[in-house]
Amino acid sequence: MKDLEASLPAAQDNFAIRCRDVCRSYGKLKVLTNLNLTVPQGQIYGLLGPSGCGKTTLLKCIVGTLKISRGHITVLGKPPAFPGHEVPGKMVGYMPQDLALYNEFTISDTLSFFGRIHGLTSKETRARMDFLIDFLHLPQKHSLVRNLSGGQRRRVSLGAALLQNPELLILDEPTVGVDPVLRAKIWQHLVEIVKTGKVSVIITTHYIEEARQANVQYSTHDGCMVVQWVALLPCSKKVLGSTPSWGSFCMYQVPGLL
């Protein structure tokens, strides 16, 4: 693989993520092929697609926990895992699909642990912990992770991703197992934090209605991705085309997004 730092084009400040001709294979299995993707700063970006189409692989490449086979990726201006860039690290809140929590920890231990990793003071961690426990409808903070339900564990993992108020949120199916009321509340929070223009969100979901709240959508099918534009507010929409036969989406040109 080519040296990413030496050959990477200059990044633009208004893009949170840029992928150019990204390829990733597992042996002979090609998962990502010449993928080009741009996530604007200060927007929610939704990834749609069936299981096994490469959504999680792409997120792992973006956050820097998985190396690409070919191509270029920049995250907040530099390649993932660039020395001193804190990606992965404090600049990115990452909620993986497979939860990485310690069963022996309490909710308080878990959030304090991530707070220390990201350099938060004890006071900052406590304030964020109190907010997140209330916001995510979590049990008492002294509850052990091993005693939580699957949905509660996912909410703890989401809390860990939100803890340090990162510039970029990368969320892999964060609302699976979450009740509709809380799911709507989480989306409302995501919309609110991106309004500042300083936070960007890339999220995967299987929920069509949920994905319609994203500014930009990508649908994936058989290794190909189709860009889709969706309005947050009612507006006149011009249909550009339709998605592959597996889905029921349409691509729209939305004023102010293109």
Side-chain angles (χ1 to χ4, degrees):
M1 185 172 67
K2 291 184 179 180
D3 180 72
L4 294 182
E5 178 185 352
S7 57
L8 191 69
Q12 297 185 28
D13 292 337
N14 57 335
F15 296 127
I17 300 169
R18 296 195 70 174
C19 299
R20 291 293 174 265
D21 301 319
V22 170
C23 298
R24 171 67 198 189
S25 300
Y26 294 98
K28 294 183 179 180
L29 176 63
K30 294 181 179 180
V31 180
L32 302 175
T33 304
N34 296 323
L35 172 70
N36 291 287
L37 174 151
T38 300
V39 178
Q41 188 70 30
Q43 290 191 3
I44 301 172
Y45 197 99
L47 282 173
L48 286 172
S51 297
C53 68
K55 301 188 303 296
T56 295
T57 294
L58 175 59
L59 295 191
K60 287 181 177 180
C61 292
I62 289 172
V63 83
T65 60
L66 189 65
K67 290 186 177 180
I68 58 177
S69 304
R70 183 167 57 84
H72 306 291
I73 297 178
T74 55
V75 181
L76 300 175
K78 294 181 181 179
F82 188 83
H85 188 44
E86 296 184 317
V87 177
K90 187 176 182 179
M91 297 175 74
V92 175
Y94 176 46
M95 178 183 172
Q97 188 178 63
D98 298 323
L99 303 184
L101 301 175
Y102 294 100
N103 287 329
E104 298 78 10
F105 281 11
T106 63
I107 295 174
S108 176
D109 294 335
T110 300
L111 297 180
S112 296
F113 172 72
F114 283 100
R116 293 185 67 180
I117 287 177
H118 296 309
L120 273 64
T121 66
S122 297
K123 183 178 179 180
E124 289 171 333
T125 301
R126 284 196 300 268
R128 289 293 292 164
M129 187 187 306
D130 291 343
F131 165 75
L132 291 167
I133 288 175
D134 178 66
F135 169 62
L136 295 172
H137 299 176
L138 291 171
Q140 293 184 352
K141 63 183 179 181
H142 298 301
S143 304
L144 285 170
V145 169
R146 68 155 59 96
N147 295 331
L148 302 180
S149 68
Q152 289 171 334
R153 293 185 188 195
R154 293 199 67 79
R155 281 179 269 154
V156 172
S157 184
L158 176 56
L162 292 167
L163 184 67
Q164 76 275 22
N165 288 314
E167 295 180 44
L168 176 64
L169 274 170
I170 299 178
L171 309 175
D172 199 351
E173 299 187 9
T175 57
V176 169
V178 174
D179 66 80
V181 174
L182 181 55
R183 186 185 305 158
K185 189 177 178 181
I186 290 171
W187 267 99
Q188 183 181 5
H189 180 69
L190 295 179
V191 171
E192 287 296 324
I193 63 176
V194 301
K195 282 182 179 179
T196 64
K198 297 179 181 179
V199 179
S200 306
V201 179
I202 183 167
I203 184 172
T204 69
T205 180
H206 291 300
Y207 299 112
I208 298 172
E209 291 300 325
E210 188 175 65
R212 285 176 180 162
Q213 299 184 60
N215 298 79
V216 185
Q217 294 180 38
Y218 251 40
S219 68
T220 52
H221 181 64
D222 295 335
C224 298
M225 291 196 171
V226 182
V227 97
Q228 302 192 42
W229 301 89
V230 178
L232 283 171
L233 300 174
C235 65
S236 59
K237 293 176 286 188
K238 176 182 177 183
V239 177
L240 297 178
S242 60
T243 59
S245 58
W246 66 270
S248 59
F249 313 108
C250 291
M251 290 185 292
Y252 299 106
Q253 179 175 336
V254 181
L257 290 183
L258 285 175

